[in-house]
Amino acid sequence: MIKNEKIKASEVHLTGLHGEDLGTMPTKEALALAKQLKVDLICTSLMSSPPPCKLIGSGQAKQEALQEKQQARKKDQPLKVKELRLTPHIEDHDLDTKRQQAERILKAGDAVMLVVKISGKEGAKAKELLENLVKDLSASGRKQTGIQLSGKQAAVQLDPL
């Protein structure tokens, strides 16, 4: 972020304090206007000619840069996987509740692991239940892995779209 006298361009495209377009003007004139309003002149990009600049209050520029860093850091973090547990003999109303929970989690940007606890010969019923849930949630998320049957549980992970 280039501020005030460090801007070397002869002309800048200036944006005012409240986002209004002040047009293209000489850098010296823009600096004088910034000093008159007791704010900083900040260059937002050096890639265009004339470079776009903003008038920003001195503390606000640092705060905006800090917020941009935090947003970038947030995007770099891996997905959170939230687990929802079910049983093969789940009631229709309870299944609707779990479906809504999964949809809410997917819309929030987190992944959902649907786990069905199995005892005895309920594997086929558990797999069918998970297939129906995946089909119902296809508008909010997509399968990352296939349905995995292992020992006492069947599981599938859904990632947000």
Side-chain angles (χ1 to χ4, degrees):
M1 179 167 38
I2 301 172
K3 283 169 63 167
N4 300 332
E5 285 80 21
K6 292 183 182 171
I7 299 172
K8 301 291 181 201
S10 58
E11 279 189 330
V12 294
H13 187 84
L14 193 61
T15 305
L17 282 169
H18 304 292
E20 66 275 5
D21 186 21
L22 300 176
T24 304
M25 62 174 61
T27 307
K28 289 182 181 176
E29 206 175 297
L31 279 169
L33 183 63
K35 282 184 180 167
Q36 178 187 340
L37 295 172
K38 295 185 173 119
V39 293
D40 287 328
L41 180 67
I42 309 277
C43 184
T44 54
S45 171
L46 294 172
M47 295 300 160
S48 58
S49 179
C53 292
K54 286 194 226 182
L55 294 174
I56 297 181
S58 57
Q60 193 176 2
K62 286 182 184 176
Q63 194 173 10
E64 279 183 13
L66 202 115
Q67 283 178 343
E68 284 176 18
K69 279 184 184 177
Q70 286 175 342
Q71 291 293 331
R73 202 175 307 134
K74 235 183 212 179
K75 288 180 184 175
D76 290 344
Q77 289 181 352
L79 283 176
K80 287 183 183 171
V81 179
K82 304 211 175 171
E83 187 175 300
L84 288 179
R85 294 182 180 174
L86 312 145
T87 61
H89 304 292
I90 191 167
E91 296 290 324
D92 290 338
H93 172 63
D94 296 333
L95 184 62
D96 287 339
T97 303
K98 292 290 185 180
R99 185 180 300 117
Q100 288 172 359
Q101 275 183 323
E103 209 167 304
R104 211 173 310 127
I105 291 168
L106 288 168
K107 285 195 167 125
D110 295 328
V112 176
M113 176 74 80
L114 299 168
V115 178
V116 179
K117 296 290 178 188
I118 302 171
S119 60
K121 298 179 181 176
E122 298 171 333
K125 195 169 184 180
K127 190 170 182 176
E128 184 183 324
L129 175 70
L130 286 176
E131 285 171 351
N132 289 337
L133 268 172
V134 168
K135 189 173 68 178
D136 292 344
L137 293 169
S138 63
S140 308
R142 64 177 176 280
K143 263 196 306 191
Q144 182 197 22
T145 59
I147 296 173
Q148 301 159 342
L149 284 164
S150 59
K152 297 186 182 219
Q153 69 180 27
V156 66
Q157 183 173 334
L158 298 174
D159 288 341
L161 293 176

